[in-house]
């Protein structure tokens, strides 16, 4: 597996070594010891989540605050998504900036999103099965979100906005400028 650095500091892409032959292919999708060495920190994942969504579904931008903050290792098992991480660390040089990447079953890329980031994805294929590991348990009282269409963030979701399928809760998320006070507690 190799690490591809992003301009968001600790947010990193991971590309597995894939071994293919006439039977198909094999790759190691996760190995705690190798992962921790590659990302340069000790991360212990405690929860796995999986979702199935259709074309145009956008989930995000979500984060957990304070002691319930979560680092995530995300990947796509089937289909294709555009995956987005937004840096919410106030002391970071990339605070308020985002990184996006296409994750697919075909490219097998994984994105490591450390604590202190908001996360979201939009489905580009007919369907997508999305899988992620979290290093902390979900806590409803600590959840936060940012408006996916905030012009200040300027995220291109790769889909005509009229075709996006977004939950009422996500459509009502605050703008980045309105959420700054909440975000300061997102670490």
């Amino acid at each position: 597996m190799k690490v591809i650095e992003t301009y968001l500091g600790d947010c990193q892409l991971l590309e597995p070594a894939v071994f293919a032959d006439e039977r198909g292919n094999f790759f190691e999708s996760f190995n705690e010891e190798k992962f921790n060495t590659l990302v340069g920190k000790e991360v212990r994942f405690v929860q796995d989540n999986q979702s199935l969504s259709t074309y145009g579904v956008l989930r995000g931008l979500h984060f957990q605050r304070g002691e319930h903050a979560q680092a995530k290792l995300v990947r796509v098992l089937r289909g294709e998504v555009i995956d987005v991480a937004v840096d919410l660390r106030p002391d970071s040089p990339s605070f308020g900036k985002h990184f996006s990447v296409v994750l697919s079953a075909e490219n097998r890329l994984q994105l490591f999103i450390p604590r202190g980031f908001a996360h979201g994805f939009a489905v580009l294929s007919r369907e997508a099965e999305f899988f992620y590991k979290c290093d902390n348990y979900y806590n409803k009282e600590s959840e936060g979100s940012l408006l996916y269409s905030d012009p200040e963030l300027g995220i291109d979701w790769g889909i005509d906005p009229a075709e996006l399928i977004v939950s009422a809760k996500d459509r009502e998320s605050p703008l980045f400028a309105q959420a700054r006070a909440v975000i300061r507690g997102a670490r």
Side-chain angles (χ1 to χ4, degrees), residues 16-36:
V18 179
F19 304 95
D21 62 22
E22 67 280 352
R23 300 169 296 163
N25 66 58
F26 170 85
F27 67 97
E28 185 176 75
S29 63
F30 181 75
N31 175 306
E32 183 178 54
E33 186 176 297
K34 289 178 186 176
F35 174 82
N36 287 338

Side-chain angles (χ1 to χ4, degrees), residues 10 16-17 36 39 51 57 62 90 101 104 123 131 155 169 174 180 182:
D10 297 331
N36 287 338
V39 300
S51 67
V57 168
H62 304 145
V101 63
S104 69
V123 178
F131 178 85
I155 298 169
K169 183 177 173 182
R180 285 184 200 270
V182 172

